[in-house]
Each structure stands twice: as C-alpha cells, then as structure tokens.
Coordinates of all heavy atoms in Angstrom, one line a residue:
M65 N -74.5 105.3 -129.1 CA -73.2 106.0 -129.0 C -72.2 105.0 -128.4 O -72.5 104.4 -127.4 CB -73.4 107.2 -128.1 CG -72.1 107.8 -127.8 SD -72.1 109.5 -127.0 CE -73.2 109.3 -125.7
K66 N -71.1 104.9 -129.0 CA -70.0 104.0 -128.5 C -69.0 104.8 -127.7 O -68.5 105.8 -128.2 CB -69.4 103.3 -129.6 CG -68.3 102.3 -129.2 CD -67.8 101.5 -130.3 CE -66.5 100.8 -130.0 NZ -66.6 99.5 -129.5
I67 N -68.7 104.4 -126.5 CA -67.7 105.1 -125.7 C -66.3 104.5 -126.1 O -66.1 103.3 -126.1 CB -68.0 104.8 -124.2 CG1 -69.3 105.5 -123.8 CG2 -66.8 105.4 -123.4 CD1 -69.7 105.2 -122.4
K68 N -65.4 105.4 -126.4 CA -64.1 105.0 -126.8 C -63.0 105.3 -125.8 O -62.0 104.7 -125.8 CB -63.7 105.7 -128.1 CG -64.6 105.3 -129.3 CD -64.2 106.1 -130.6 CE -65.0 105.7 -131.7 NZ -64.7 106.4 -132.9
R69 N -63.3 106.3 -124.9 CA -62.3 106.8 -124.0 C -63.0 107.2 -122.7 O -64.1 107.9 -122.7 CB -61.5 107.9 -124.6 CG -60.5 108.4 -123.7 CD -59.7 109.5 -124.5 NE -58.8 110.2 -123.6 CZ -57.6 110.7 -123.9 NH1 -57.3 110.6 -125.2 NH2 -56.9 111.3 -123.1
L70 N -62.4 106.9 -121.6 CA -62.8 107.4 -120.3 C -61.7 108.1 -119.6 O -60.6 107.6 -119.4 CB -63.2 106.2 -119.4 CG -63.6 106.5 -117.9 CD1 -64.8 107.3 -117.8 CD2 -63.7 105.2 -117.1
N71 N -61.9 109.4 -119.3 CA -60.9 110.2 -118.6 C -61.3 110.2 -117.1 O -62.4 110.6 -116.8 CB -60.9 111.6 -119.2 CG -60.3 111.7 -120.5 OD1 -59.5 110.8 -120.9 ND2 -60.7 112.7 -121.3
I72 N -60.3 109.9 -116.3 CA -60.5 110.0 -114.8 C -59.6 111.1 -114.3 O -58.4 111.1 -114.5 CB -60.1 108.6 -114.2 CG1 -61.0 107.5 -114.7 CG2 -60.2 108.8 -112.7 CD1 -60.7 106.1 -114.3
F73 N -60.3 112.1 -113.7 CA -59.5 113.3 -113.2 C -59.3 113.1 -111.7 O -60.2 112.8 -111.0 CB -60.4 114.5 -113.5 CG -60.5 114.8 -115.0 CD1 -61.6 114.3 -115.7 CD2 -59.6 115.5 -115.7 CE1 -61.8 114.5 -117.0 CE2 -59.7 115.7 -117.0 CZ -60.8 115.2 -117.7
E74 N -58.1 113.5 -111.3 CA -57.7 113.4 -109.9 C -56.9 114.7 -109.5 O -56.1 115.1 -110.3 CB -56.8 112.2 -109.7 CG -56.3 112.0 -108.3 CD -57.5 112.0 -107.2 OE1 -58.4 111.3 -107.4 OE2 -57.3 112.8 -106.3
D75 N -57.1 115.2 -108.3 CA -56.4 116.4 -107.9 C -55.4 116.2 -106.8 O -54.9 117.1 -106.2 CB -57.4 117.5 -107.6 CG -58.1 117.3 -106.3 OD1 -58.1 116.2 -105.7 OD2 -58.8 118.2 -105.8
S76 N -55.1 114.9 -106.5 CA -54.2 114.6 -105.5 C -53.0 113.9 -106.2 O -53.1 112.9 -106.9 CB -54.8 113.6 -104.5 OG -53.8 113.0 -103.7
H77 N -51.8 114.5 -106.0 CA -50.6 113.9 -106.6 C -50.4 112.5 -106.1 O -49.9 111.6 -106.8 CB -49.3 114.7 -106.2 CG -49.2 116.0 -107.1 ND1 -48.9 115.9 -108.4 CD2 -49.3 117.3 -106.8 CE1 -48.8 117.1 -108.9 NE2 -49.1 118.0 -107.9
V78 N -50.6 112.3 -104.8 CA -50.4 110.9 -104.2 C -51.3 109.9 -104.8 O -50.9 108.9 -105.3 CB -50.6 111.0 -102.7 CG1 -50.6 109.6 -102.1 CG2 -49.6 111.9 -102.0
I79 N -52.6 110.2 -104.9 CA -53.5 109.2 -105.5 C -53.3 109.1 -107.0 O -53.3 108.0 -107.5 CB -55.0 109.7 -105.3 CG1 -55.3 109.6 -103.8 CG2 -56.0 108.8 -106.1 CD1 -56.6 110.1 -103.3
F80 N -52.9 110.2 -107.7 CA -52.6 110.1 -109.1 C -51.4 109.1 -109.3 O -51.4 108.3 -110.2 CB -52.2 111.5 -109.6 CG -52.1 111.6 -111.1 CD1 -53.2 111.5 -111.9 CD2 -50.9 111.8 -111.7 CE1 -53.1 111.6 -113.3 CE2 -50.7 111.9 -113.0 CZ -51.8 111.8 -113.8
S81 N -50.4 109.2 -108.4 CA -49.2 108.3 -108.6 C -49.7 106.9 -108.3 O -49.2 105.9 -108.9 CB -48.1 108.7 -107.7 OG -48.4 108.5 -106.3
W82 N -50.6 106.7 -107.3 CA -51.1 105.3 -107.1 C -51.8 104.7 -108.3 O -51.6 103.6 -108.6 CB -52.0 105.3 -105.9 CG -51.5 105.6 -104.6 CD1 -50.1 105.6 -104.2 CD2 -52.2 105.9 -103.4 NE1 -50.0 105.9 -102.9 CE2 -51.3 106.1 -102.3 CE3 -53.6 106.0 -103.1 CZ2 -51.7 106.4 -101.0 CZ3 -53.9 106.4 -101.8 CH2 -53.0 106.5 -100.8
L83 N -52.6 105.6 -109.0 CA -53.3 105.1 -110.1 C -52.3 104.7 -111.3 O -52.5 103.7 -112.0 CB -54.3 106.2 -110.6 CG -55.5 106.4 -109.7 CD1 -56.2 107.7 -110.2 CD2 -56.4 105.2 -109.7
L84 N -51.3 105.6 -111.4 CA -50.3 105.3 -112.5 C -49.4 104.1 -112.2 O -49.1 103.3 -113.2 CB -49.4 106.5 -112.7 CG -50.1 107.7 -113.3 CD1 -49.2 108.9 -113.4 CD2 -50.8 107.4 -114.6
T85 N -49.1 103.9 -111.0 CA -48.2 102.7 -110.6 C -49.0 101.5 -110.3 O -48.4 100.4 -110.2 CB -47.3 103.1 -109.5 OG1 -48.0 103.4 -108.3 CG2 -46.4 104.3 -109.8
K86 N -50.3 101.7 -110.1 CA -51.2 100.6 -109.8 C -51.0 100.0 -108.4 O -51.4 98.9 -108.1 CB -51.2 99.5 -110.8 CG -51.6 100.0 -112.2 CD -51.5 98.9 -113.2 CE -52.0 99.5 -114.5 NZ -52.0 98.5 -115.6
Q87 N -50.3 100.7 -107.5 CA -50.1 100.3 -106.1 C -49.8 101.5 -105.2 O -49.2 102.5 -105.7 CB -49.0 99.2 -106.0 CG -47.6 99.8 -106.4 CD -46.6 98.7 -106.3 OE1 -46.9 97.6 -105.9 NE2 -45.4 99.0 -106.7
A88 N -50.1 101.4 -104.0 CA -49.7 102.4 -103.0 C -48.3 102.2 -102.6 O -47.8 101.1 -102.5 CB -50.6 102.3 -101.8
A89 N -47.6 103.3 -102.4 CA -46.1 103.2 -102.1 C -45.9 102.5 -100.8 O -45.0 101.7 -100.6 CB -45.5 104.6 -102.0
K90 N -46.8 102.8 -99.8 CA -46.7 102.1 -98.5 C -47.6 100.9 -98.5 O -48.5 100.8 -99.3 CB -47.1 103.1 -97.4 CG -46.1 104.2 -97.2 CD -46.5 105.1 -96.0 CE -45.5 106.2 -95.9 NZ -45.7 107.0 -94.8
K91 N -47.3 100.0 -97.7 CA -48.1 98.7 -97.7 C -49.4 98.9 -97.0 O -49.7 98.5 -95.9 CB -47.3 97.6 -97.0 CG -46.0 97.3 -97.7 CD -46.3 96.8 -99.1 CE -44.9 96.5 -99.8 NZ -45.1 96.4 -101.3
N92 N -50.3 99.7 -97.6 CA -51.6 100.0 -97.1 C -52.6 99.0 -97.7 O -53.0 99.2 -98.9 CB -52.0 101.4 -97.3 CG -53.3 101.8 -96.7 OD1 -54.2 101.0 -96.7 ND2 -53.4 103.1 -96.2
Q93 N -53.0 98.0 -97.0 CA -53.8 97.0 -97.6 C -55.2 97.5 -98.1 O -55.6 97.1 -99.2 CB -54.1 95.8 -96.6 CG -54.7 94.6 -97.2 CD -53.8 94.0 -98.2 OE1 -52.6 93.8 -98.1 NE2 -54.4 93.6 -99.4
M94 N -55.8 98.4 -97.4 CA -57.1 98.9 -97.8 C -57.0 99.7 -99.2 O -57.7 99.5 -100.1 CB -57.7 99.8 -96.8 CG -59.1 100.3 -97.2 SD -59.7 101.6 -96.1 CE -58.9 103.0 -96.7
V95 N -56.0 100.5 -99.2 CA -55.8 101.3 -100.5 C -55.4 100.4 -101.6 O -55.9 100.5 -102.7 CB -54.6 102.4 -100.3 CG1 -54.3 103.0 -101.6 CG2 -55.1 103.4 -99.3
N96 N -54.5 99.4 -101.4 CA -54.2 98.5 -102.5 C -55.4 97.6 -102.9 O -55.5 97.3 -104.1 CB -53.0 97.6 -102.0 CG -51.7 98.4 -102.2 OD1 -51.4 99.0 -103.2 ND2 -50.9 98.4 -101.1
N97 N -56.3 97.3 -102.0 CA -57.5 96.5 -102.4 C -58.3 97.4 -103.3 O -58.9 96.9 -104.3 CB -58.3 96.1 -101.1 CG -57.6 95.0 -100.4 OD1 -56.8 94.3 -100.9 ND2 -58.0 94.8 -99.1
K98 N -58.5 98.7 -103.0 CA -59.3 99.6 -103.8 C -58.6 99.7 -105.2 O -59.3 99.7 -106.2 CB -59.4 100.9 -103.2 CG -60.2 100.9 -101.9 CD -61.7 100.5 -102.2 CE -62.5 100.5 -100.9 NZ -63.8 100.0 -101.0
L99 N -57.3 99.9 -105.2 CA -56.5 100.0 -106.5 C -56.7 98.7 -107.3 O -56.8 98.8 -108.5 CB -55.1 100.3 -106.2 CG -54.7 101.7 -105.7 CD1 -53.3 101.8 -105.2 CD2 -55.0 102.7 -106.8
N100 N -56.7 97.6 -106.7 CA -56.9 96.3 -107.4 C -58.3 96.3 -108.1 O -58.4 95.9 -109.2 CB -56.8 95.1 -106.5 CG -55.4 94.8 -106.1 OD1 -54.4 95.2 -106.8 ND2 -55.2 94.2 -105.0
K101 N -59.3 96.8 -107.4 CA -60.7 96.9 -108.0 C -60.7 97.9 -109.2 O -61.3 97.6 -110.2 CB -61.7 97.3 -106.9 CG -62.0 96.3 -105.9 CD -63.1 96.7 -104.9 CE -63.4 95.6 -103.9 NZ -64.4 96.0 -103.0
I102 N -60.0 99.0 -109.0 CA -59.9 100.0 -110.1 C -59.2 99.3 -111.3 O -59.6 99.4 -112.4 CB -59.2 101.2 -109.6 CG1 -60.1 102.0 -108.6 CG2 -58.8 102.1 -110.8 CD1 -59.4 103.1 -107.9
N103 N -58.1 98.6 -111.0 CA -57.3 98.0 -112.1 C -58.1 96.9 -112.8 O -58.0 96.8 -114.0 CB -56.0 97.4 -111.5 CG -55.0 98.5 -111.0 OD1 -55.0 99.6 -111.5 ND2 -54.2 98.1 -110.0
D104 N -58.9 96.2 -112.1 CA -59.8 95.2 -112.7 C -60.8 95.8 -113.6 O -61.1 95.4 -114.7 CB -60.5 94.3 -111.6 CG -59.5 93.4 -110.9 OD1 -58.4 93.2 -111.3 OD2 -60.0 92.9 -109.8
L105 N -61.4 96.9 -113.1 CA -62.3 97.7 -113.9 C -61.7 98.2 -115.2 O -62.3 98.1 -116.3 CB -62.9 98.8 -113.1 CG -63.9 99.7 -113.8 CD1 -65.1 98.9 -114.3 CD2 -64.4 100.9 -112.9
V106 N -60.5 98.8 -115.1 CA -59.8 99.3 -116.2 C -59.5 98.2 -117.2 O -59.7 98.4 -118.4 CB -58.5 100.1 -115.8 CG1 -57.6 100.4 -117.0 CG2 -58.8 101.3 -115.0
A107 N -59.0 97.1 -116.7 CA -58.8 95.9 -117.6 C -60.0 95.5 -118.3 O -60.0 95.2 -119.5 CB -58.2 94.8 -116.8
S108 N -61.1 95.5 -117.6 CA -62.4 95.1 -118.3 C -62.8 96.1 -119.4 O -63.3 95.7 -120.4 CB -63.5 95.0 -117.2 OG -64.8 94.8 -117.8
L109 N -62.6 97.4 -119.1 CA -62.9 98.4 -120.1 C -62.0 98.3 -121.3 O -62.4 98.4 -122.4 CB -62.8 99.8 -119.5 CG -63.9 100.1 -118.4 CD1 -63.6 101.4 -117.7 CD2 -65.3 100.2 -119.1
N110 N -60.7 98.0 -121.0 CA -59.7 97.9 -122.1 C -60.1 96.7 -123.0 O -59.9 96.8 -124.2 CB -58.3 97.7 -121.6 CG -57.7 99.0 -120.9 OD1 -56.8 98.9 -120.1 ND2 -58.2 100.1 -121.3
K111 N -60.6 95.6 -122.4 CA -61.0 94.5 -123.2 C -62.2 94.8 -124.2 O -62.4 94.2 -125.2 CB -61.4 93.3 -122.3 CG -60.3 92.6 -121.7 CD -60.7 91.5 -120.8 CE -59.6 90.8 -120.1 NZ -60.0 89.8 -119.1
R112 N -62.9 95.9 -123.8 CA -64.0 96.4 -124.6 C -63.6 97.5 -125.5 O -64.4 98.2 -126.1 CB -65.2 96.8 -123.7 CG -65.8 95.7 -123.0 CD -67.0 96.2 -122.1 NE -67.7 95.2 -121.5 CZ -67.5 94.7 -120.2 NH1 -66.5 95.3 -119.5 NH2 -68.2 93.7 -119.7
N113 N -62.3 97.7 -125.7 CA -61.7 98.7 -126.5 C -62.0 100.1 -126.0 O -62.2 101.0 -126.8 CB -62.0 98.5 -128.0 CG -61.4 97.3 -128.5 OD1 -60.3 96.9 -128.3 ND2 -62.2 96.5 -129.3
I114 N -62.1 100.3 -124.7 CA -62.3 101.6 -124.1 C -61.0 102.0 -123.4 O -60.6 101.3 -122.5 CB -63.5 101.6 -123.1 CG1 -64.8 101.2 -123.8 CG2 -63.6 102.9 -122.4 CD1 -66.0 101.0 -122.9
E115 N -60.4 103.0 -123.9 CA -59.2 103.5 -123.4 C -59.5 104.3 -122.1 O -60.4 105.1 -122.0 CB -58.5 104.5 -124.4 CG -57.2 105.1 -123.9 CD -56.7 106.1 -124.9 OE1 -57.4 106.5 -125.8 OE2 -55.5 106.4 -124.7
V116 N -58.7 104.0 -121.0 CA -58.9 104.7 -119.8 C -57.6 105.6 -119.6 O -56.5 105.1 -119.6 CB -59.0 103.8 -118.6 CG1 -59.2 104.5 -117.3 CG2 -60.3 102.9 -118.8
C117 N -57.8 106.9 -119.4 CA -56.7 107.8 -119.2 C -56.9 108.6 -117.8 O -58.0 109.0 -117.5 CB -56.7 108.8 -120.3 SG -56.4 108.1 -121.9
Y118 N -55.8 108.7 -117.1 CA -55.8 109.4 -115.9 C -55.3 110.8 -116.2 O -54.3 111.0 -116.8 CB -54.9 108.7 -114.8 CG -55.4 107.3 -114.5 CD1 -54.6 106.2 -114.8 CD2 -56.6 107.1 -113.9 CE1 -55.0 104.9 -114.5 CE2 -57.0 105.8 -113.6 CZ -56.2 104.7 -113.9 OH -56.6 103.5 -113.6
E119 N -56.0 111.8 -115.6 CA -55.6 113.2 -115.8 C -55.4 113.9 -114.5 O -56.3 113.7 -113.6 CB -56.6 113.9 -116.7 CG -56.9 113.3 -118.0 CD -55.8 113.5 -119.0 OE1 -54.9 114.4 -118.8 OE2 -55.8 112.8 -120.1
Y120 N -54.4 114.7 -114.3 CA -54.2 115.4 -113.1 C -54.9 116.8 -113.3 O -54.7 117.4 -114.3 CB -52.7 115.6 -112.8 CG -52.5 116.5 -111.6 CD1 -52.7 116.0 -110.3 CD2 -52.1 117.8 -111.7 CE1 -52.6 116.8 -109.2 CE2 -51.9 118.6 -110.6 CZ -52.2 118.1 -109.3 OH -52.0 118.9 -108.3
V121 N -55.6 117.2 -112.3 CA -56.3 118.5 -112.2 C -55.8 119.2 -111.0 O -55.8 118.7 -109.9 CB -57.8 118.3 -112.1 CG1 -58.5 119.7 -111.9 CG2 -58.4 117.5 -113.2
P122 N -55.2 120.4 -111.3 CA -54.7 121.2 -110.1 C -55.9 121.5 -109.2 O -57.0 121.7 -109.6 CB -54.2 122.5 -110.8 CG -53.9 122.1 -112.2 CD -54.9 121.0 -112.5
P123 N -55.6 121.4 -107.9 CA -56.7 121.6 -106.9 C -57.5 122.9 -107.1 O -58.7 123.0 -106.9 CB -56.0 121.6 -105.6 CG -54.8 120.7 -105.8 CD -54.4 121.0 -107.2
A124 N -56.8 123.9 -107.6 CA -57.5 125.2 -107.9 C -58.5 125.1 -108.9 O -59.4 125.9 -109.0 CB -56.4 126.3 -108.2
C125 N -58.4 124.1 -109.8 CA -59.4 123.9 -110.9 C -60.5 122.9 -110.5 O -61.5 122.7 -111.3 CB -58.7 123.3 -112.1 SG -57.6 124.5 -112.9
N126 N -60.4 122.3 -109.3 CA -61.4 121.3 -108.9 C -62.6 122.1 -108.3 O -62.6 122.6 -107.2 CB -60.8 120.4 -107.8 CG -61.8 119.3 -107.4 OD1 -63.0 119.4 -107.7 ND2 -61.3 118.3 -106.7
I127 N -63.7 122.2 -109.1 CA -64.9 122.9 -108.7 C -65.5 122.3 -107.4 O -66.2 123.0 -106.7 CB -65.9 123.1 -109.8 CG1 -66.5 121.7 -110.3 CG2 -65.3 123.9 -110.9 CD1 -67.6 121.8 -111.3
G128 N -65.3 121.1 -107.2 CA -65.8 120.5 -105.9 C -65.2 121.0 -104.7 O -65.7 120.9 -103.6
D129 N -64.0 121.6 -104.8 CA -63.3 122.2 -103.6 C -63.6 123.7 -103.4 O -63.0 124.2 -102.5 CB -61.8 121.9 -103.8 CG -61.4 120.5 -103.5 OD1 -62.3 119.7 -103.0 OD2 -60.3 120.2 -103.8
I130 N -64.4 124.3 -104.2 CA -64.6 125.7 -104.1 C -65.1 126.1 -102.7 O -64.6 127.0 -102.1 CB -65.6 126.2 -105.1 CG1 -64.9 126.2 -106.5 CG2 -66.1 127.6 -104.8 CD1 -65.9 126.6 -107.6
I131 N -66.0 125.3 -102.1 CA -66.6 125.6 -100.8 C -65.5 125.5 -99.7 O -65.4 126.4 -98.9 CB -67.7 124.7 -100.5 CG1 -68.9 124.8 -101.5 CG2 -68.3 124.9 -99.0 CD1 -69.5 126.2 -101.5
Y132 N -64.6 124.5 -99.9 CA -63.6 124.4 -98.9 C -62.5 125.5 -98.9 O -61.9 125.8 -97.9 CB -62.9 123.0 -99.0 CG -63.8 121.8 -98.8 CD1 -64.2 121.0 -99.8 CD2 -64.2 121.6 -97.5 CE1 -65.1 120.0 -99.6 CE2 -65.1 120.5 -97.2 CZ -65.5 119.7 -98.3 OH -66.4 118.7 -98.1
R133 N -62.3 126.0 -100.1 CA -61.4 127.1 -100.3 C -61.9 128.4 -99.8 O -61.2 129.3 -99.5 CB -60.9 127.2 -101.7 CG -60.1 126.1 -102.2 CD -59.4 126.4 -103.6 NE -60.4 126.7 -104.6 CZ -60.9 125.8 -105.5 NH1 -60.5 124.6 -105.4 NH2 -61.7 126.2 -106.4
G134 N -63.2 128.5 -99.7 CA -63.9 129.7 -99.2 C -64.3 130.6 -100.4 O -63.5 130.9 -101.2
T135 N -65.6 130.9 -100.4 CA -66.1 131.7 -101.5 C -67.4 132.3 -101.0 O -68.0 131.9 -100.0 CB -66.3 131.0 -102.8 OG1 -66.5 131.9 -103.9 CG2 -67.4 129.9 -102.7
S136 N -67.9 133.2 -101.7 CA -69.2 133.8 -101.4 C -70.3 133.2 -102.3 O -70.0 132.6 -103.3 CB -69.2 135.4 -101.6 OG -69.1 135.6 -103.0
V137 N -71.5 133.4 -101.8 CA -72.7 132.9 -102.6 C -72.7 133.6 -103.9 O -73.0 133.0 -105.0 CB -74.0 133.2 -101.8 CG1 -75.2 132.9 -102.7 CG2 -74.0 132.3 -100.6
Q138 N -72.4 134.9 -103.9 CA -72.3 135.7 -105.2 C -71.3 135.1 -106.2 O -71.6 135.0 -107.4 CB -72.0 137.1 -105.0 CG -72.2 138.0 -106.2 CD -73.7 137.9 -106.7 OE1 -74.6 138.1 -106.0 NE2 -73.8 137.7 -108.0
N139 N -70.1 134.7 -105.7 CA -69.1 134.1 -106.6 C -69.7 132.8 -107.2 O -69.4 132.4 -108.3 CB -67.8 133.9 -105.9 CG -67.0 135.1 -105.7 OD1 -67.3 136.1 -106.4 ND2 -66.1 135.1 -104.8
L140 N -70.3 132.0 -106.3 CA -70.9 130.7 -106.8 C -71.9 131.0 -107.9 O -72.0 130.3 -108.9 CB -71.6 129.9 -105.7 CG -70.6 129.3 -104.7 CD1 -71.4 128.7 -103.5 CD2 -69.8 128.2 -105.3
L141 N -72.8 132.0 -107.7 CA -73.8 132.3 -108.7 C -73.1 132.9 -110.0 O -73.6 132.6 -111.1 CB -74.8 133.3 -108.2 CG -75.7 132.8 -107.0 CD1 -76.5 134.0 -106.4 CD2 -76.6 131.7 -107.5
N142 N -72.1 133.7 -109.8 CA -71.4 134.2 -111.0 C -70.7 133.2 -111.8 O -70.5 133.3 -113.0 CB -70.4 135.3 -110.6 CG -71.1 136.6 -110.1 OD1 -72.3 136.8 -110.3 ND2 -70.3 137.3 -109.3
D143 N -70.3 132.1 -111.2 CA -69.5 131.1 -111.8 C -70.3 129.8 -112.1 O -69.8 128.7 -112.2 CB -68.3 130.8 -111.0 CG -67.1 130.3 -111.8 OD1 -67.1 130.5 -113.0 OD2 -66.1 129.8 -111.2
K144 N -71.7 130.0 -112.2 CA -72.5 128.8 -112.3 C -72.3 128.0 -113.6 O -72.6 126.8 -113.6 CB -74.0 129.2 -112.1 CG -74.5 130.1 -113.2 CD -75.9 130.5 -112.9 CE -76.3 131.6 -113.9 NZ -77.4 132.3 -113.5
E145 N -71.8 128.6 -114.6 CA -71.6 127.9 -115.9 C -70.7 126.7 -115.7 O -70.9 125.7 -116.4 CB -71.0 128.9 -116.9 CG -70.9 128.3 -118.3 CD -72.3 128.1 -118.9 OE1 -73.3 128.7 -118.5 OE2 -72.3 127.2 -119.8
Q146 N -69.6 126.8 -114.9 CA -68.7 125.7 -114.7 C -69.4 124.5 -114.0 O -69.0 123.4 -114.1 CB -67.4 126.0 -114.1 CG -67.4 126.3 -112.6 CD -66.0 126.5 -112.1 OE1 -65.1 126.1 -112.7 NE2 -65.9 127.3 -111.0
W147 N -70.5 124.8 -113.2 CA -71.2 123.7 -112.6 C -72.1 123.0 -113.6 O -72.4 121.8 -113.5 CB -72.1 124.3 -111.5 CG -71.3 124.8 -110.3 CD1 -70.9 126.1 -110.1 CD2 -70.7 124.0 -109.3 NE1 -70.2 126.1 -108.9 CE2 -70.0 124.9 -108.4 CE3 -70.7 122.6 -109.0 CZ2 -69.3 124.4 -107.3 CZ3 -70.0 122.2 -107.8 CH2 -69.4 123.1 -107.0
V148 N -72.5 123.7 -114.6 CA -73.3 123.1 -115.7 C -72.5 122.4 -116.7 O -72.8 121.2 -117.1 CB -74.2 124.2 -116.4 CG1 -74.9 123.6 -117.6 CG2 -75.1 124.9 -115.4
R149 N -71.4 123.0 -117.2 CA -70.5 122.4 -118.2 C -69.3 121.7 -117.7 O -68.7 121.0 -118.5 CB -70.2 123.5 -119.2 CG -71.4 124.1 -119.9 CD -70.9 125.0 -121.1 NE -72.0 125.7 -121.6 CZ -72.7 125.2 -122.6 NH1 -72.4 124.1 -123.2 NH2 -73.7 125.9 -123.1
G150 N -68.8 122.0 -116.6 CA -67.6 121.5 -116.0 C -66.5 122.5 -116.0 O -66.6 123.6 -116.6
S151 N -65.5 122.2 -115.2 CA -64.4 123.1 -115.0 C -63.6 123.4 -116.3 O -63.5 122.5 -117.1 CB -63.4 122.5 -114.0 OG -62.2 123.3 -113.9
K152 N -63.2 124.6 -116.5 CA -62.4 124.9 -117.7 C -61.2 124.0 -117.9 O -60.8 123.7 -119.0 CB -62.0 126.4 -117.7 CG -63.2 127.3 -117.8 CD -62.8 128.8 -117.6 CE -64.1 129.6 -117.5 NZ -64.0 130.7 -116.7
C153 N -60.6 123.6 -116.8 CA -59.4 122.8 -116.8 C -59.7 121.4 -117.4 O -58.8 120.9 -118.1 CB -58.9 122.6 -115.4 SG -58.2 124.1 -114.6
I154 N -60.8 120.9 -117.1 CA -61.1 119.5 -117.7 C -61.7 119.6 -119.1 O -61.8 118.5 -119.7 CB -62.0 118.6 -116.7 CG1 -63.4 119.2 -116.6 CG2 -61.3 118.5 -115.4 CD1 -64.3 118.3 -115.9
L155 N -62.1 120.7 -119.5 CA -62.7 120.9 -120.9 C -61.6 121.1 -121.9 O -61.9 120.9 -123.1 CB -63.7 122.0 -120.9 CG -65.0 121.8 -120.0 CD1 -65.8 123.0 -120.0 CD2 -65.8 120.6 -120.5
Q156 N -60.4 121.4 -121.5 CA -59.3 121.6 -122.5 C -58.9 120.2 -123.0 O -58.9 119.2 -122.3 CB -58.2 122.3 -121.8 CG -58.5 123.7 -121.3 CD -57.4 124.3 -120.5 OE1 -56.4 123.7 -120.2 NE2 -57.6 125.6 -120.1
P157 N -58.4 120.2 -124.2 CA -57.9 118.9 -124.8 C -56.8 118.4 -123.9 O -56.0 119.1 -123.4 CB -57.4 119.3 -126.2 CG -58.1 120.6 -126.5 CD -58.3 121.3 -125.2
T158 N -56.7 117.1 -123.8 CA -55.7 116.4 -123.0 C -54.4 116.3 -123.8 O -54.4 116.4 -125.0 CB -56.1 115.1 -122.5 OG1 -56.4 114.2 -123.6 CG2 -57.4 115.2 -121.6
G159 N -53.3 116.0 -123.1 CA -52.0 115.8 -123.7 C -51.9 114.5 -124.5 O -50.9 114.3 -125.2
Q160 N -52.9 113.6 -124.4 CA -52.7 112.3 -125.0 C -53.5 112.3 -126.3 O -54.5 112.8 -126.5 CB -53.2 111.2 -124.1 CG -52.3 111.2 -122.8 CD -52.8 110.1 -121.9 OE1 -53.5 109.2 -122.2 NE2 -52.3 110.1 -120.7

C-alpha cells in the first residue's frame, strides 16, 4: 500500500498557526526548533510524493480530551465506537 497523504490534526489554534506559518510568533527557540524538525519531516515526505495536510479539530471533537472535560464511565462505554474508529470530526472528508 502506498501512502499518498498524511493528515495531521491539531486542536490548538496557536499550534495550528505555528504549523501553517512554520514558525512561532514569539521568539521561542525551543518551539521553533521543534517546528524546524516538523518542517524537515514534511519536506522529506513531500519529496516522496506524500502530501501533508494540517487539519484543525475543535477541542470538543478531540476524544483525547474527554477525561479532562469530565465524563462518566458509562458515557465512555456508550461512546466506545469513536475510540475504535476515531472521532466523527476527523472521519469526515476534509476541505482539501
């Protein structure tokens, strides 16, 4: 199987903007170093004809944050399908 596209999902507007602009707005050396590594990885994937797309996910759709938002064990059990298949938000076709 050949990978043609990699979607990277982010639920933070700040980090999403860093990914799109390829730099942190403030001169934060650690963040910019990490962004440089990400940019190098993306360039390497692009050379292999793998498209990299960044997608924004509203925090309410981030299943990793369910515990932090507060929920019951019963709600987790009732909603187990999204843990198996992924959040409904990321399964929808992207705008690109």
